[in-house]
Amino acid sequence: MRRIAVLGATGSIGGSALDVIARHPERFQVGVLSANQRVDELIALCRRFRPARAIVADPAAHDTLARGLREAGLACEALAGPAALAAAAGDGDCDTVIAGIVGAAGMASTLAAARAGKRLLLANKESVVLAGALLLREANASGAQVIPIDSEHNAIFQCLPMPSAVPGERFGGVRRLLLTASGGPFRGRSRADLAAITPDQACAHPNWVMGRKISVDSATLMNKGLEVIEAHWLFGLPSERIEVVVHPQSIVHSLVDYVDGSVLAQLGQPDMRTALACALAWPERIESGVNALDLAGIGRLDFEPPDRETFPCLDLAYQALALGGSAGAIVNAANEIAVSAFLQGRLRFLDIPALIARTLDRIAVTPADTLDSLLVADAQARAAATLWLDTQGT
Ligand code: NAD
Ligand code: MG
């Protein structure tokens, strides 16, 4: 029986994970559930999954959570705050951690799970972009299994010669990794078309239903940029051997190109339950609730190069990878600030890459060998990006 901590249980990844878990009560038990602020939703999930602990990230919501659990007659411990979250990811109430929190807020718990030698189902790509080298070091030292949940990386994980959960391991015979990108809701548009884009337009992804931050990242192609950096750390290949190809149908989730000319791909419906089921049961296969693929019904699979001029975020991510050190942390932090400002109507869509480029330009890149140095880079980048937003008065 696997005991699972679902961090970010009220989100899109958390919901998909719990859907798969609920299909296999003989295999999986929920040990921990966490949410940011939505206490009522968290309590409803606790009624259904009966975890030993429930954690809310906002300390001010602790008492409401404790009272709600008591009133529901649940013997579930109520905890609050980022430290409780990181502690739960590393302690004995779980052997498997689903890192489903969005943004750098997920980093401490992701690192704690890696340090404690858990099976880490890694959806929180921002923590890899921010602290990939450290995460690898922790996982390799503890023997943690890191299984990617991001659909592209999960596809590559499945297409590698011997799917291995040791992150950063080098594989013989691989020429390139090909990450597929849907192109987002604005594929085929010009920069001029994108001047007046609203948050709801940016979040209307053609193939995937996801949280708002990753949806905006998909619309700017920064999501693919973050995924290039993520692939670099998880699979140990340099950036010139990680390529992006646009595939609007989102059926081929990514490919591995071998030196003998073989290209292996993983196909499936655009539904995160496939990756989650694969990682929860690995190396076995279990039902995920996802329908079988009807290739004749789909009819055709198209591929085209990404439009790097209209969507400069992709190249900003390659630039961060080339710079190394804390550049990933800077780009990630600036992007989080830019996306949040865009969602609040304070920044125009086309100014998202401009704000990231400007921040990367202003903040000195330092070595990324300690958590403290990365947290400093993250804080500096957030402060610089926020200052620019405030002084622009937009
Ligand atoms: P979401 O916004 O739907 O859910 C985010 C979850 O994190 C929620 O449970 C929320 O309560 C929690 N959270 C938010 N801020 C927090 C904080 N400060 N402290 C603690 N918890 C906090 O997001 P999502 O779409 O589920 O994405 C989660 C992660 O998975 C992201 O890193 C995203 O890039 C990655 N991912 C998502 C998908 C997808 O299909 N949704 C696919 C690939 C990767
Ligand atoms: Mg992805």
Side-chain angles (χ1 to χ4, degrees):
M1 180 74 85
R2 250 178 208 289
R3 265 178 85 72
I4 304 169
V6 184
L7 307 186
T10 51
S12 163
I13 287 288
S16 294
L18 289 169
D19 183 282
V20 176
I21 289 168
R23 289 167 194 274
H24 302 278
E26 73 299 348
R27 278 179 179 265
F28 306 129
Q29 197 182 10
V30 174
V32 180
L33 290 174
S34 95
N36 190 24
Q37 285 171 320
R38 292 197 216 142
V39 173
D40 290 347
E41 270 179 58
L42 183 59
I43 293 169
L45 291 175
C46 291
R47 278 183 202 272
R48 185 161 169 223
F49 290 98
R50 310 269 160 167
R53 295 183 192 181
I55 308 168
V56 65
D58 178 5
H62 174 267
D63 292 353
T64 320
L65 175 63
R67 197 178 328 113
L69 290 171
R70 226 178 14 251
E71 282 169 10
L74 296 171
C76 171
E77 190 183 1
L79 296 164
L85 199 57
D91 79 12
D93 266 340
C94 60
D95 50 44
T96 302
V97 174
I98 299 184
I101 292 175
V102 59
M107 185 181 70
S109 51
T110 301
L111 282 175
R115 191 173 303 131
K118 307 285 180 186
R119 174 176 288 195
L120 175 59
L121 274 60
L122 187 57
N124 175 236
K125 66 188 87 186
E126 293 90 349
S127 62
V128 191
V129 173
L130 175 47
L134 279 185
L135 181 65
L136 247 70
R137 208 192 296 158
E138 298 283 11
N140 289 335
S142 70
Q145 297 177 328
V146 179
I147 305 191
I149 294 303
D150 216 349
S151 57
E152 298 74 6
H153 307 73
N154 187 267
I156 290 168
F157 171 80
Q158 294 191 50
C159 294
L160 284 170
M162 292 285 285
S164 161
V166 180
E169 188 170 296
R170 288 174 186 280
F171 303 95
V174 172
R175 179 158 47 200
R176 291 176 305 166
L177 304 179
L178 295 169
L179 297 181
T180 51
S182 69
F186 308 133
R187 185 177 61 86
R189 305 266 200 107
S190 68
R191 280 183 71 79
D193 294 337
L194 301 180
I197 289 300
T198 65
D200 284 346
Q201 287 172 314
C203 289
H205 196 280
N207 306 334
W208 298 92
V209 181
M210 310 181 286
R212 279 171 88 76
K213 193 265 175 178
I214 185 177
S215 296
V216 176
D217 285 345
S218 298
T220 61
L221 283 205
M222 183 46 101
N223 183 48
K224 214 46 56 179
L226 299 178
E227 290 181 359
V228 168
I229 301 176
E230 184 185 6
H232 163 74
W233 290 116
L234 292 181
F235 306 117
L237 288 184
S239 60
E240 59 275 15
R241 289 168 58 201
I242 305 171
E243 292 179 22
V244 172
V245 60
V246 171
H247 165 49
Q249 292 90 357
S250 296
I251 296 295
V252 177
H253 296 308
S254 276
L255 313 92
V256 179
D257 176 14
Y258 288 91
V259 289
D260 62 3
S262 297
V263 178
L264 300 194
Q266 186 259 355
L267 284 71
Q269 305 277 6
D271 187 322
M272 294 307 293
R273 290 177 299 175
T274 297
L276 285 156
C278 160
L280 279 166
W282 183 77
E284 290 175 58
R285 297 277 181 177
I286 56 169
E287 289 280 349
S288 66
V290 175
N291 290 335
L293 200 58
D294 171 14
L295 278 175
I298 293 163
R300 54 185 279 181
L301 299 173
D302 296 302
F303 300 92
E304 62 192 45
D307 176 352
R308 309 182 98 103
E309 262 167 52
T310 308
F311 302 101
C313 283
L314 182 56
D315 283 342
L316 283 170
Y318 274 101
Q319 195 185 330
L321 205 42
L323 285 167
S326 59
I330 296 168
V331 161
N332 179 65
N335 182 55
E336 286 192 30
I337 296 291
V339 170
S340 158
F342 168 70
L343 286 171
Q344 293 163 34
R346 296 180 61 213
L347 184 72
R348 286 177 310 174
F349 185 76
L350 288 176
D351 288 335
I352 295 175
L355 179 52
I356 299 165
R358 195 181 177 285
T359 310
L360 188 56
D361 229 32
R362 294 293 151 101
I363 306 292
V365 173
T366 56
D369 39 12
T370 65
L371 185 56
D372 282 348
S373 64
L374 289 168
L375 292 175
V376 167
D378 174 83
Q380 285 178 336
R382 282 172 201 271
T386 305
L387 181 67
W388 186 81
L389 279 168
D390 290 346
T391 51
Q392 292 302 298
T394 45

